[in-house]
């Protein structure tokens, strides 16, 4: 685009720039409450005029990565669109700051670890900060200082608040239109009260229960792990062919990668159709080294074509062992303890047998690795090892944040029913998923497949410090034994409570831990057990039933009833199995409905090797520098270019395209606004065929962009708007410039100027959800209020009757003129003395309607037409523009 007219409005800068826009408008939006949720208006309005978003609370443990920018931008585009559509948008923000990620960050940052046995130290100062020692080296786990539970929790709270300040700054810079007056932390007082209240109600209704059972255990983090947190990984191992003995018969050989578990074997199991072992079913064999008699049983899950086709069942080596134990009603012979070592005492089933000494001398208190070496050596010596171990890669379950394979340890844990053991409940929860519109739709199958594949209930207790405690104590009998069958629960009016500090009703502190007294439940809730309640936490679901109104921790039952179920849950597809399913489960139990109407599922961000970017893998880009280098509008443009449910490449080149778009918006707008005040009935002032054509095409864009948002295809809305915008700049502005300056008379100029203003007002609103800073800046040059509080455009706002095909036809002719000049190596200002324009008959008619603009833009003196299949310029006679003489 060439020169813009001189501006007369002092609000229009002489040289528009993106520099400084973020600081400027962040401050204005905050001061003016541009994105504030109007509670009174929402309560007075019909429910269908409120749009409520259940925003994912990012984990406050270090830094964000570009994946957050990607998915949060999608959500923000929809929030902005709905706001412009006239909805009162409920758009809160929370921080997920409890749980293992926070604890691990605190351990690494301060060089500490929690120890519940240590006393609290007033005014404690950690030995390190920022994850380095005095020499600037990373803190080793061995150098971490043990501190009390309370001291550790205090450090967690300090560091999460620090991280959240950084996160908020970045989110504000990215222009997310969140209401910063509606915030929460999953560890704050209200969130703890809501989580504890929901748990107590689950417990009262029988949806939550406690059980002593085998469960997955991470020996590094010393905590139980739920099924949804598993990650199957290859792990090096070796097959050992081992002989079990039967009286008067040949030995039965099994193949195992875990010979250290032979002391805990409870059965040998083969498939019922396996003819090799059918004669053995119902008989017994004895284990090598230990001489323990175990049955040979049949089960359909045994794999005939794997190894020897017969497996030893140990309690417990893997999840298949757990299934066999449960379905075949086998005994528990658990050896591995919570620290990953074999128990110190010789088990009763081994005591007095041939392996008693071996266990006591070589296995007790050993790690599984050391125990394996000792058992293999003993098997060689006894002759029960057939051949040497054969190396292999086996699949092992890992905690998604852990580095060592999980063990299965028997422990007492809290669970919430989720259909994993109840077909009827599972069917109802699948039905809850059917009540939600997934975008894209195929993501519903991921939800359904996960629910239907569950094999156990949701384990919600964790053996950590920084989280929501279970509001439960247990009585101690006269001998000091814990009575788990009669838990003492906190009344709802007292929530939140910390059983480690607070005392149950009817007791005093002196009775803690003594016979006849009480003990606190030592565990905290899984972080998902709190995050699954984000709709309730953010919207004021009532807590403290029976408490005075002034003590309800900000509960707002009327607001909750006005926005629940929510309209939208945005999130990544990898946490459908955790956050989405857990939220559905809690909502079903508490309210009997799905918690939202729509679930918008984002894809992953991929690195150059097409692998998922994540902080744990070390391949994630932090967005702070990216935003500084390219600008928020540019980064948002890249994010909005990726469709829901589709993985996207991290692409700084796409960000540069977005920055170019934002700059072009500023410059093109300066030209469009450079003709002084344009007022009155703009639609009636537009009379020129080219102007009417441009606005007719823009009306089609408005319709398509609206359809894109309504169909949850934000990217389509951006694509059609951007494509039109560049045509508007490259063709229409060049064609209309002479007329807008008055070169064809006042009436023709008035049409051009009115069309420019109508197009600009419409385009700014169409682009506002994607590039909020550039559009807000331009709107401030001529409009009132914020562009983000204007109404979304409709085609009825634009003049009708125009032929949308005129602009493309004239644009193609102008492109032909440009091509001729370029090939002749003359400037675009060169005069075309004569030329013939070849085009189809319909195009010729349309070009004639705007011939004056084409001739002025192309500097064409004499123009003739000829019919042809496509638009092209022939027989052009060019007169180059003479260069000005050099200055002396």
């Amino acid at each position: 685009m060439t020169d813009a007219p001189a501006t007369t409005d002092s609000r229009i800068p002489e040289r528009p720039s993106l520099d400084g826009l973020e600081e400027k408008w962040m401050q204005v939006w905050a001061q003016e409450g541009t994105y504030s949720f109007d509670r009174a208006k929402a309560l007075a309005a019909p429910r269908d005029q409120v749009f409520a978003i259940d925003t994912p609370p990012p984990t406050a443990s270090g830094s964000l990565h570009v994946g957050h920018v990607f998915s949060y931008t999608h959500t923000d585009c929809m929030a902005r669109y709905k706001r412009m559509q006239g909805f009162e948008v409920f758009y809160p923000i929370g921080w997920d700051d409890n749980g293992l990620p926070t604890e691990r960050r605190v351990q690494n940052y301060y060089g500490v670890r929690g120890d519940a046995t240590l006393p609290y130290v007033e005014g404690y100062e950690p030995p390190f900060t920022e994850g380095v020692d005095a020499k600037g080296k990373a803190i080793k786990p061995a150098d971490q200082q043990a501190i009390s539970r309370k001291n550790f929790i205090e450090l967690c709270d300090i560091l999460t608040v620090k991280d959240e300040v950084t996160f908020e700054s970045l989110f504000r810079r990215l222009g997310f239109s969140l209401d910063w007056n509606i915030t929460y932390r999953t560890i704050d007082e209200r969130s703890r009260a809501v989580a504890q209240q929901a748990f107590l109600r689950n417990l009262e209704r029988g949806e939550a229960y406690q059980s002593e059972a085998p469960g997955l255990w991470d020996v590094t983090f010393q905590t139980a792990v739920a099924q949804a947190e598993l990650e199957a990984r290859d792990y090096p191992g070796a097959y050992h062919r081992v002989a079990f003995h039967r009286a008067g018969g040949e030995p039965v050989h099994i193949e195992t990668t875990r010979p250290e578990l032979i002391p805990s074997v409870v059965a040998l199991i083969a498939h019922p159709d396996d003819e090799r072992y059918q004669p053995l079913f119902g008989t017994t064999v004895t284990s090598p080294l230990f001489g323990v008699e175990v049955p040979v049983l049949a089960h359909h899950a045994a794999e005939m074509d794997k190894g020897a086709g017969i497996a030893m069942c140990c309690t417990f080596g893997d999840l298949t062992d757990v299934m066999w134990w449960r379905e075949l009603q086998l005994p528990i012979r658990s050896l591995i303890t919570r620290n990953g070592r074999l128990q110190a005492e010789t088990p009763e089933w081994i005591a007095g047998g041939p392996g008693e000494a071996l266990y006591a001398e070589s296995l007790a208190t050993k790690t599984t690795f050391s125990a394996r070496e000792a058992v293999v050596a003993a098997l060689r010596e006894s002759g029960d090892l057939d051949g040497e171990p054969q190396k292999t890669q086996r699949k092992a379950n890992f905690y998604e944040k852990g580095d060592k394979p999980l063990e299965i340890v028997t422990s007492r844990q809290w669970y919430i029913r989720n259909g994993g053991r109840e077909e009827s409940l599972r069917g109802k929860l699948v039905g809850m998923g059917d009540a939600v519109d997934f975008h894209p739709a195929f993501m519903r199958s991921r939800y359904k497949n996960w629910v239907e594949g569950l094999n156990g209930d949701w384990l919600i207790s964790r053996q950590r410090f920084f989280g929501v405690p279970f509001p439960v104590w247990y009585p101690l009998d006269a001998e000091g034994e814990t009575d788990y069958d009669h838990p003492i629960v906190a009344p709802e009016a007292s929530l939140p409570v910390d059983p480690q500090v607070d005392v149950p009703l009817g007791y005093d502190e002196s009775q803690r831990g003594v016979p006849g007294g009480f003990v606190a439940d030592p565990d905290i809730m899984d972080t998902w057990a709190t995050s699954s309640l984000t709709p309730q936490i953010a919207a004021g679901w009532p807590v403290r039933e029976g408490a005075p109104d002034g003590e309800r921790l900000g509960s707002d039952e009327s607001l909750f009833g006005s926005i629940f179920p929510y309209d939208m849950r945005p999130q990544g597809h990898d946490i459908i199995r955790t956050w989405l399913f857990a939220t559905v489960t809690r909502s079903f139990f508490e309210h009997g409905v799905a918690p939202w109407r729509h679930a918008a599922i984002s894809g992953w961000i991929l690195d150059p090797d097409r692998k998922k970017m994540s902080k744990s893998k070390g391949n994630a880009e932090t967005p702070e520098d990216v935003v500084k280098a390219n600008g928020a509008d540019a980064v948002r443009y890249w994010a909005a270019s990726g469709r829901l449910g589709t993985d996207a490449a991290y692409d700084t080149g796409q960000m540069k395209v977005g920055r170019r778009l934002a700059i072009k918006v500023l410059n093109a707008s300066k030209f469009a606004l450079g003709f002084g005040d344009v007022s009155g009935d703009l639609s009636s002032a537009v009379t020129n065929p080219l102007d009417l054509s441009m606005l007719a095409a823009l009306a089609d864009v408005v319709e398509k962009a609206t359809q894109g948002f309504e169909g949850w295809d934000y990217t389509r809305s951006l694509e059609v708007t951007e494509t039109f915008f560049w045509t508007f700049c490259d063709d229409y502005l060049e064609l209309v410039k002479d007329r807008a300056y008055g070169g064809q008379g006042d009436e023709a100029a008035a049409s051009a100027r009115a069309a420019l203003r109508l197009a600009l007002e419409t385009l700014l609103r169409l682009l506002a959800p994607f590039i909020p800073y550039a559009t807000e800046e331009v709107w401030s040059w001529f409009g009132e209020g914020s562009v983000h509080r204007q109404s979304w455009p409709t085609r009825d706002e634009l003049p009708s009757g125009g032929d949308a095909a005129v602009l493309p036809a004239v644009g193609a002719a102008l492109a032909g003129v440009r091509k001729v000049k370029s090939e002749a190596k003359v400037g675009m200002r060169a005069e075309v003395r004569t030329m013939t324009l070849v085009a189809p008959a319909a195009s010729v008619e349309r070009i004639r309607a705007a011939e004056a603009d084409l001739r002025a833009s192309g500097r064409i003196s004499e123009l003739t037409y000829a019919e042809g299949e496509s638009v092209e310029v022939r027989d052009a006679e060019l007169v180059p523009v003479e260069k000005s003489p050099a200055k002396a």
Side-chain angles (χ1 to χ4, degrees), residues 139-176:
I139 304 166
K140 298 178 181 178
D143 296 332
Q144 291 176 352
Q145 187 177 98
I147 60 175
S148 73
R149 171 183 180 271
K150 185 177 179 180
N151 286 127
F152 187 80
I153 289 173
E154 286 178 350
L155 291 179
C156 289
D157 206 41
I158 291 170
L159 190 56
T160 52
V161 169
K162 180 179 179 181
D163 287 339
E164 286 155 13
V165 169
T166 303
F167 287 13
E168 179 178 337
S169 175
L170 179 62
F171 274 30
R172 285 182 180 271
R173 179 171 289 276
L174 283 162
F176 296 152

Side-chain angles (χ1 to χ4, degrees), residues 25-212:
W25 290 111
M26 282 165 54
Q27 184 176 358
V28 171
W29 293 335
Q31 289 174 346
E32 297 186 356
T34 304
Y35 308 120
S36 295
F37 173 72
D38 190 329
R39 179 182 177 279
K41 183 178 177 181
L43 291 175
R47 174 61 183 88
D48 61 5
Q49 290 302 304
V50 178
F51 191 82
I53 303 172
D54 180 18
T55 321
T59 302
S61 58
S63 61
L64 296 166
H65 65 78
V66 291
H68 291 99
V69 176
F70 186 67
S71 58
Y72 279 82
T73 297
H74 291 171
T75 309
D76 190 62
C77 288
M78 180 57 86
R80 290 178 176 278
Y81 166 74
K82 289 295 184 179
R83 199 177 284 115
M84 296 175 76
Q85 280 277 14
F87 290 84
E88 194 59 40
V89 176
F90 182 76
Y91 192 16
I93 181 64
W95 310 110
D96 194 5
D97 42 18
N98 67 46
L100 183 57
T102 297
E103 289 198 21
R104 184 165 60 174
R105 172 156 164 74
V106 167
Q107 290 172 189
N108 295 333
Y109 188 91
Y110 290 117
V112 297
R113 56 182 172 82
D115 187 335
T117 66
L118 296 178
Y120 176 70
V121 177
E122 193 75 40
Y124 173 76
E125 293 291 335
F128 311 109
T129 58
E130 300 185 2
V132 295
D133 61 19
K135 297 181 180 179
K137 295 182 178 180
I139 304 166
K140 298 178 181 178
D143 296 332
Q144 291 176 352
Q145 187 177 98
I147 60 175
S148 73
R149 171 183 180 271
K150 185 177 179 180
N151 286 127
F152 187 80
I153 289 173
E154 286 178 350
L155 291 179
C156 289
D157 206 41
I158 291 170
L159 190 56
T160 52
V161 169
K162 180 179 179 181
D163 287 339
E164 286 155 13
V165 169
T166 303
F167 287 13
E168 179 178 337
S169 175
L170 179 62
F171 274 30
R172 285 182 180 271
R173 179 171 289 276
L174 283 162
F176 296 152
S177 59
L178 298 152
D179 186 343
W180 293 98
N181 297 311
I182 311 175
T183 62
Y184 62 89
R185 302 172 63 220
T186 56
I187 198 63
D188 66 24
E189 190 173 68
R190 171 162 173 72
S191 295
R192 284 184 284 122
V194 169
Q196 289 181 339
Q197 175 171 331
F199 167 77
L200 289 176
R201 293 186 174 190
N202 291 140
L203 184 63
E204 183 180 8
R205 294 189 295 257
E207 298 147 2
Y209 65 92
Q210 195 177 52
S211 177
E212 179 93 22

Side-chain angles (χ1 to χ4, degrees), residues 41 80 163 176 190 192 202 287 300 342 358 376 418 448 459 514 618 680 696 721 734 789 825 834 844 852:
K41 183 178 177 181
R80 290 178 176 278
D163 287 339
F176 296 152
R190 171 162 173 72
R192 284 184 284 122
N202 291 140
S287 61
H300 66 274
L342 273 63
L358 171 63
V376 171
N418 66 359
K448 183 178 180 180
L459 187 154
V514 301
T721 303
E734 289 298 319
R789 282 294 186 176
K825 294 183 170 52
T834 62
V844 169

Side-chain angles (χ1 to χ4, degrees), residues 336-633:
I336 299 176
T337 60
R338 290 187 174 193
N339 63 7
R341 295 174 180 269
L342 273 63
Q343 67 181 49
E345 302 81 10
T346 300
E348 60 182 30
W349 61 89
I350 291 176
E356 180 176 23
L358 171 63
Y359 188 91
E361 296 170 8
S362 302
L363 304 182
T365 74
K366 293 294 193 294
T367 65
T368 55
F369 178 81
S370 298
R372 185 178 309 143
E373 289 187 326
V375 168
V376 171
L379 288 170
R380 282 197 187 96
E381 186 176 345
S382 69
D384 292 320
L385 182 66
D386 185 7
E388 284 300 303
Q390 301 298 311
K391 290 184 178 180
T392 184
Q393 286 286 106
R394 66 184 178 94
K395 283 290 184 183
N397 284 317
F398 286 74
Y399 174 41
E400 59 188 359
K401 303 181 187 304
D403 301 318
K404 293 181 180 180
L406 296 171
E407 296 292 352
I408 296 179
V409 174
T410 302
S411 59
R412 182 174 293 277
Q413 304 289 346
W414 284 104
Y415 297 84
I416 287 180
R417 294 163 52 209
N418 66 359
R421 296 182 180 180
E422 302 165 71
E423 186 174 348
S424 62
L425 176 58
R426 182 162 58 247
K428 292 175 183 177
L429 292 174
V430 169
M432 286 291 102
D434 292 337
V436 177
D437 286 333
F438 282 78
H439 307 283
F442 70 81
M443 287 293 176
R444 179 183 284 105
S445 63
R446 296 199 183 188
Y447 171 88
K448 183 178 180 180
N449 291 341
W450 171 256
V451 180
E452 292 182 341
L454 289 168
N455 55 30
D457 285 334
W458 177 17
L459 187 154
I460 62 166
S461 49
R462 295 293 182 272
Q463 290 63 53
R464 305 299 300 175
F465 294 128
F466 194 57
V468 178
F470 287 92
V472 174
W473 301 262
Y474 306 99
L476 297 176
D477 63 19
E479 285 73 40
E481 294 295 322
T482 305
D483 181 4
Y484 291 106
D485 294 331
H486 300 89
I488 307 165
V489 299
E492 288 189 0
S494 68
L495 303 177
V497 299
D498 182 352
Q500 302 285 351
V501 176
D502 299 316
V503 176
L505 292 176
Y507 294 86
D508 59 49
E509 183 60 35
S510 67
Q511 295 173 279
R512 187 184 295 273
V514 301
F518 69 93
V519 292
D521 189 298
D523 295 341
I524 62 168
M525 297 182 194
D526 165 30
T527 185
W528 296 113
T530 307
S531 299
S532 60
L533 297 164
T534 53
Q536 291 84 353
I537 292 170
W541 183 60
V543 297
R544 291 194 174 191
E545 297 251 336
D549 289 342
E551 298 178 14
R552 293 174 66 85
L553 289 179
S555 64
D556 194 341
E557 190 169 3
S558 58
L559 176 60
F560 182 76
S562 297
I563 67 174
F564 188 89
Y566 283 57
D567 296 279
M568 178 183 184
R569 153 60 72 86
Q571 65 165 72
H573 60 72
D574 53 327
I575 53 174
I576 288 175
R577 72 190 194 281
T578 49
W579 191 39
L580 190 146
F581 175 55
T583 310
V584 168
T585 301
R586 304 302 287 280
S587 178
F588 171 72
F589 283 143
E590 195 61 47
H591 310 291
V593 297
W596 349 264
R597 296 178 174 88
H598 300 273
I601 311 298
S602 296
W604 284 338
I605 300 303
L606 307 178
D607 67 11
D609 295 326
R610 306 298 295 177
K611 295 179 180 177
K612 177 194 174 186
M613 279 190 172
S614 68
K615 290 189 288 184
S616 61
K617 293 181 179 178
N619 65 344
E621 294 284 346
T622 55
E624 289 86 350
D625 293 338
V626 176
V627 174
K628 289 178 182 177
N630 298 281
D633 279 352

